[in-house]
Amino acid sequence: MYVRVVVHIIFTMFFFLGACDHTRQENYKSSNGSITTSQNTDDLDLHDSIKIRRLIDQSDKYRYSGRYGIAFDNLWEALLLAKNRKEDIVSVEIYRDIGILYDIYSKDSLALHYLHRALSLSKSIMVSDQEVKEQIVSNYFSIATFWRDRHKYEVALTYLDSCNQVYDNGRILPYAMTDQGFCNMKVGNITLSEKQLVRARSYLEKKNAPYLAMNLAFTADLKKELYQYDSAHYYYQKSLEWIRIKQVHIESEPAILQKIADVHILQGNWRSAVDYLKASREVNDKLFSTTSKLNEDLFEIKNKYRAQLEKNKITIAQQQVLIKEEDKKLTGAIILFAIILTLGTGVYIVFYQRSKFKRLSMISQHKIEKNEAILEVKNKELTGYALKVIKMQENIDFLVDLIKIKAPAEYTEYKKKYSHINTTTWNEFNKRFTEVNTEFYKTICNKHPELTPTELKHCALIKLNFNNYEMSKILNISLRSVHTSRYRIKKKIGLDANSSLTNYIRSL
């Protein structure tokens, strides 16, 4: 009966909630207008894709020109749109560019976080087309440059090797080869470094690639390492020209000016060295100083992405207010149903558990009483059997004694035969006792493993309430031997002189 009541309540509640939820959906549709057509949706998706691409391209231009704050904002805005559209490949590119920006400002933990996030996401995209491979290579390369700039050249070389392993056709990657040349120079592989830089430069010059600026700078570093200062100065100047013509890798300009100053110092041109040091400081201040107009937005932590998130939170909060107002209408009914359901379930559980416990207790008590009754009957049978054995033994003893008087010559034979019969009788008795009193034997053997088999026989007879005389007859020993055995058992068990061995054995 209780189960039916509870089930009825549950079905009623869910039917009511379902009807209310349907009404809520209809109201929501009415308040927000008609559903947008599929054509409009397609137009909106195309517009968002174009906007994301434009934001990324503009961010690259702003970064190359040193306007890092605006580049930063464009990336976060693009990331918001890409996440909403679930465009993972585009998100990979955005995460990497954000990591590069943080790297420029030596925000190591943030740079590594976004670079590895880009790499992880690119690896998780389950397609093998060219675009994904290019993204994976770019991510490996960006992480390699991160470690290169922090003088971890062995680590950088590991990631550069990973760049080359992405393509199965042995494709040449001149920008990766350029960095390999620089890192090999730093770890002492000068010959290999020179070959890699020259080979990579030939590819970069054919394509007028922006990364030629870095190749020229690294070549200058190699010439400086070989004490070829004029050649080093030449390649540093060529690198600066390429940076200024292409407006790329502007963040490297202060370091290159510093290196040119170092070359002049090594050549003894002190005045020129001072001029280049001054120029390096001015460019560095222009790019990275907190007073720089180009980056005031970045240092003021102007983050349009987070602003958009806040705007979304406000919109969601407004919608939640509307939902809460409708939910208030259901609160009373839900609480009522919950109380009824709880009370009904509680009453059912209490009655069911009480009935179950009572039933189990009765079954358990019945089993105990049944087992005790069976054990008592079996023990009575054993006792009767033992008394018959005692009576038979007394008769046999009488007859054996009579034979000893009447036929002394046959006495020994009958005595031996009688002993064999007595042993067999006892073994049979002991077997029956063990089968009936299994738990008794387990208990006494576990508690007192030092007792011998003969002493265990004494304990079994004590358990069956035999006196010392009867025990002597059954065991075919003297009364004194029975007393001695009881004394030894008490000592092994640990009972004092005033304790009763019989009471202890029966309690087991």
Side-chain angles (χ1 to χ4, degrees):
M1 181 180 71
Y2 293 109
V3 175
R4 291 179 180 176
V5 172
V6 172
V7 171
H8 178 71
I9 292 172
I10 291 173
F11 272 107
T12 303
M13 182 175 70
F14 277 107
F15 176 78
F16 182 73
L17 291 176
C20 292
D21 185 63
H22 176 74
T23 302
R24 182 191 304 176
Q25 291 178 5
E26 292 297 327
N27 292 338
Y28 181 79
K29 289 179 181 178
S30 300
S31 63
N32 287 277
S34 61
I35 301 174
T36 307
T37 64
S38 59
Q39 182 63 45
N40 291 338
T41 301
D42 292 340
D43 292 342
L44 184 60
D45 287 346
L46 179 61
H47 173 74
D48 285 345
S49 295
I50 295 172
K51 184 176 181 180
I52 292 170
R53 189 71 260 166
R54 185 174 69 251
L55 286 169
I56 294 174
D57 292 341
Q58 287 178 345
S59 175
D60 289 340
K61 291 179 181 178
Y62 286 131
R63 172 160 60 89
Y64 292 148
S65 62
R67 304 180 69 181
Y68 304 122
I70 302 176
F72 189 78
D73 286 341
N74 283 357
L75 287 176
W76 282 109
E77 186 176 349
L79 181 61
L80 177 63
L81 293 173
K83 278 189 173 182
N84 288 338
R85 290 173 48 80
K86 297 182 179 179
E87 294 190 8
D88 290 341
I89 295 179
V90 178
S91 297
V92 168
E93 185 178 356
I94 297 171
Y95 281 134
R96 183 175 62 254
D97 288 347
I98 291 173
I100 292 171
L101 279 174
Y102 278 125
D103 185 19
I104 291 173
Y105 276 87
S106 299
K107 302 294 184 181
D108 293 5
S109 59
L110 287 170
L112 262 185
H113 169 75
Y114 283 103
L115 292 175
H116 278 290
R117 191 168 182 179
L119 178 60
S120 176
L121 182 57
S122 63
K123 288 182 177 180
S124 69
I125 299 173
M126 302 304 291
V127 291
S128 57
D129 60 12
Q130 186 71 14
E131 185 178 2
V132 174
K133 286 186 176 181
E134 289 176 358
Q135 292 290 357
I136 293 174
V137 170
S138 297
N139 291 328
Y140 278 130
F141 180 73
S142 297
I143 297 174
T145 58
F146 173 89
W147 290 116
R148 179 203 71 197
D149 293 342
R150 284 149 185 82
H151 312 300
K152 301 289 185 179
Y153 304 113
E154 296 289 352
V155 179
L157 283 170
T158 301
Y159 282 100
L160 291 170
D161 289 340
S162 298
C163 290
N164 296 319
Q165 292 171 5
V166 173
Y167 295 105
D168 301 329
N169 56 4
R171 177 178 173 182
I172 300 300
L173 304 174
Y175 50 91
M177 189 179 292
T178 294
D179 276 45
Q180 284 178 316
F182 176 78
C183 292
N184 278 315
M185 175 193 69
K186 288 297 184 179
V187 298
N189 298 329
I190 301 298
T191 303
L192 177 59
S193 170
E194 188 170 14
K195 289 180 180 179
Q196 289 173 328
L197 287 171
V198 171
R199 188 179 181 189
R201 188 160 63 254
S202 66
Y203 284 98
L204 294 170
E205 287 175 342
K206 289 178 183 178
K207 296 182 178 181
N208 283 328
Y211 208 67
L212 179 61
M214 300 307 300
N215 184 285
L216 293 167
F218 293 158
T219 302
D221 290 337
L222 177 63
K223 298 299 182 182
K224 180 182 173 184
E225 192 76 16
L226 296 173
Y227 306 107
Q228 299 173 13
Y229 299 129
D230 289 338
S231 294
H233 186 274
Y234 169 78
Y235 282 108
Y236 281 136
Q237 288 291 352
K238 294 289 290 182
S239 177
L240 277 179
E241 291 174 10
W242 197 250
I243 288 173
R244 291 164 180 171
I245 291 172
K246 291 289 186 177
Q247 284 296 299
V248 294
H249 302 293
I250 291 179
E251 69 278 0
S252 301
E253 187 175 348
I256 294 174
L257 290 169
Q258 172 74 48
K259 290 178 179 180
I260 294 175
D262 292 341
V263 171
H264 281 298
I265 291 173
L266 292 171
Q267 292 179 320
N269 301 326
W270 306 106
R271 185 179 296 277
S272 298
V274 170
D275 291 339
Y276 276 102
L277 286 172
K278 182 179 179 181
S280 174
R281 186 182 63 186
E282 290 174 352
V283 173
N284 187 75
D285 288 345
K286 180 182 177 182
L287 290 174
F288 302 110
S289 172
T290 56
T291 59
S292 171
K293 294 295 182 183
L294 295 175
N295 297 298
E296 62 183 3
D297 291 342
L298 181 63
F299 285 99
E300 290 173 359
I301 320 176
K302 179 182 177 181
N303 194 323
K304 291 182 180 179
Y305 174 70
R306 292 174 183 172
Q308 184 64 39
L309 286 180
E310 292 299 324
K311 184 178 179 181
N312 290 345
K313 287 181 180 179
I314 293 172
T315 303
I316 293 171
Q318 291 173 347
Q319 292 178 353
Q320 288 177 342
V321 169
L322 295 176
I323 293 172
K324 286 181 179 178
E325 289 178 355
E326 294 182 2
D327 286 344
K328 287 179 181 179
K329 301 174 183 178
L330 300 176
T331 302
I334 292 174
I335 292 175
L336 179 61
F337 280 124
I339 293 173
I340 295 174
L341 180 62
T342 302
L343 290 176
T345 305
V347 171
Y348 169 75
I349 291 173
V350 169
F351 277 96
Y352 176 77
Q353 292 295 335
R354 182 181 296 175
S355 175
K356 182 179 178 181
F357 178 75
K358 186 176 181 180
R359 186 168 62 254
L360 290 175
S361 297
M362 291 175 62
I363 293 172
S364 178
Q365 184 64 30
H366 176 72
K367 286 182 178 180
I368 292 172
E369 292 175 355
K370 181 180 177 181
N371 291 336
E372 288 179 350
I374 292 173
L375 183 61
E376 185 178 353
V377 170
K378 294 292 185 181
N379 282 335
K380 284 182 178 180
E381 290 178 356
L382 282 172
T383 302
Y385 175 78
L387 292 174
K388 289 179 180 179
V389 170
I390 293 171
K391 186 65 176 176
M392 180 183 67
Q393 185 176 340
E394 289 177 348
N395 293 334
I396 290 173
D397 287 342
F398 173 77
L399 293 173
V400 169
D401 290 341
L402 187 61
I403 291 171
K404 184 177 180 180
I405 296 171
K406 300 293 184 179
E410 300 176 3
Y411 169 75
T412 304
E413 181 182 352
Y414 279 104
K415 183 70 174 177
K416 183 178 180 180
K417 187 176 181 180
Y418 157 71
S419 297
H420 175 72
I421 293 173
N422 188 52
T423 301
T424 303
T425 302
W426 165 253
N427 289 338
E428 180 66 23
F429 170 80
N430 191 51
K431 180 182 177 182
R432 292 187 181 182
F433 179 84
T434 304
E435 291 174 353
V436 175
N437 295 276
T438 305
E439 292 299 324
F440 169 76
Y441 259 112
K442 286 183 180 179
T443 303
I444 195 169
C445 288
N446 288 335
K447 294 186 70 173
H448 307 292
E450 67 277 5
L451 295 176
T452 65
T454 301
E455 290 168 341
L456 289 173
K457 293 178 183 178
H458 283 259
C459 293
L461 294 173
I462 294 172
K463 178 71 174 175
L464 292 176
N465 203 26
F466 285 105
N467 57 38
N468 292 345
Y469 172 76
E470 293 169 337
M471 289 169 62
S472 68
K473 290 296 182 181
I474 293 174
L475 298 172
N476 196 26
I477 60 176
S478 65
L479 194 58
R480 182 175 180 181
S481 296
V482 174
H483 287 296
T484 303
S485 180
R486 290 175 69 100
Y487 172 77
R488 288 175 180 169
I489 293 171
K490 286 183 66 174
K491 189 173 181 181
K492 287 184 179 182
I493 290 176
L495 298 176
D496 55 32
N498 297 325
S499 299
S500 173
L501 178 62
T502 301
N503 292 338
Y504 178 76
I505 296 297
R506 290 178 183 173
S507 67
L508 295 177

